Every structure is written in C-alpha cells, then in structure tokens.
Amino acid sequence: MHTLGDHLRKARLDRGLSQPEVARLLNVTPDTVTGWELNRYEPTIKCAGAIIAFLGYFPFTLDDCSLGKQLYYVRLITGKTQQEVAQEIGCDESNLRRTELDQRRPQTKTYKKIQTYINATLTSYGLRVTPRQ
C-alpha cells in the first residue's frame, strides 16, 4: 500500500463499510471515495486529515524524508493549508511551498521554524521522526 487511497480502501473493507458509508463519515460523495481508492486523484489537505483520523494512524513513514516531505506529511496530519502553516510559523508562503516541493532549502532561521513546527506537531500527535544522518 503506497497511497492514502490504498489505506482508506483497506480500512473500509476491514471494517465492512461501503463506499457510501465512508463518504458520509468523511462528508464527501461516494464517487470521491472511489476516486481516492482507485488512485485517480489525491484527497485535498482538508480531506486527508479526515481520512487519517478515520484510519486511526498515519500511513506513511517520516523517517529519511526531506524537510519538504516531512512538512507535507505534517500538513496531511493536521489538514492545514500552506497558507495556514506559513502564518502560524511566521514565514512567507512561497518559501514554504518551494521548501515543500524540495525546490530550495530555506534560510537557517526559516529552516529552524519549520523544523520546530514539524517536531511540535508530531509530538502532539504522538509521532516522531528519527533525525537524518
């Protein structure tokens, strides 16, 4: 299982739920659930947070991920947009976006803000990342 849709399908089947039942729980249409499960498209950040809550676990490993990938995964966990996170940590949204896409390494001050945000969020969700060597 590689995607959020794969994990959603497995959890749904394990619980004996239909796609319409899961759609009602997640406040989306059954066609949306089908699209996720068939990996036609990825859930929005807001929906990803609801899916992770439905799963009851975070389905990806954060170890050995770049700072940008860790930031993206943390946004999945929290369901926050890049704009919301940028405002929360006090940095420019475009810097955050380029960091998340691994297009640039932020300056030291911004890097520390992002890392602090990631660590605090993961701690609050009972998760952690093994530091990269």
Side-chain angles (χ1 to χ4, degrees):
M1 292 190 299
H2 300 310
T3 68
L4 209 47
D6 294 339
H7 287 273
L8 178 62
R9 178 176 169 78
K10 182 179 182 329
R12 178 180 65 77
L13 293 173
D14 287 350
R15 296 175 191 175
L17 298 172
S18 67
Q19 287 180 335
E21 289 171 322
V22 171
R24 277 192 297 281
L25 291 170
L26 298 176
N27 201 27
V28 297
T29 67
D31 287 342
T32 299
V33 173
T34 299
W36 293 337
E37 289 186 358
L38 295 176
N39 296 306
R40 290 183 182 146
Y41 46 87
E42 291 185 27
T44 64
I45 285 293
K46 297 288 184 187
C47 290
I51 293 169
I52 291 165
F54 171 77
L55 295 176
Y57 64 92
F58 185 69
F60 306 110
T61 180
L62 294 166
D63 296 337
D64 297 324
C65 289
S66 67
L67 179 72
K69 193 65 163 181
Q70 287 178 23
L71 179 58
Y72 173 72
Y73 282 157
V74 164
R75 286 195 320 103
L76 283 180
I77 293 167
T78 62
K80 292 184 179 178
T81 65
Q82 288 174 336
Q83 181 180 18
E84 290 170 330
V85 172
Q87 287 176 340
E88 192 170 325
I89 67 175
C91 75
D92 184 70
E93 182 182 347
S94 64
N95 285 337
L96 203 69
R97 183 179 308 106
R98 288 191 297 269
T99 299
E100 194 171 291
L101 294 172
D102 291 322
Q103 293 177 343
R104 76 181 306 190
R105 180 181 165 93
Q107 293 181 345
T108 303
K109 184 178 177 182
T110 303
Y111 183 94
K112 287 179 181 178
K113 287 180 180 182
I114 293 170
Q115 193 63 62
T116 299
Y117 174 77
I118 290 170
N119 291 336
T121 302
L122 293 176
T123 298
S124 71
Y125 281 82
L127 302 168
R128 68 180 187 81
V129 175
T130 303
R132 297 181 87 185
Q133 299 296 329

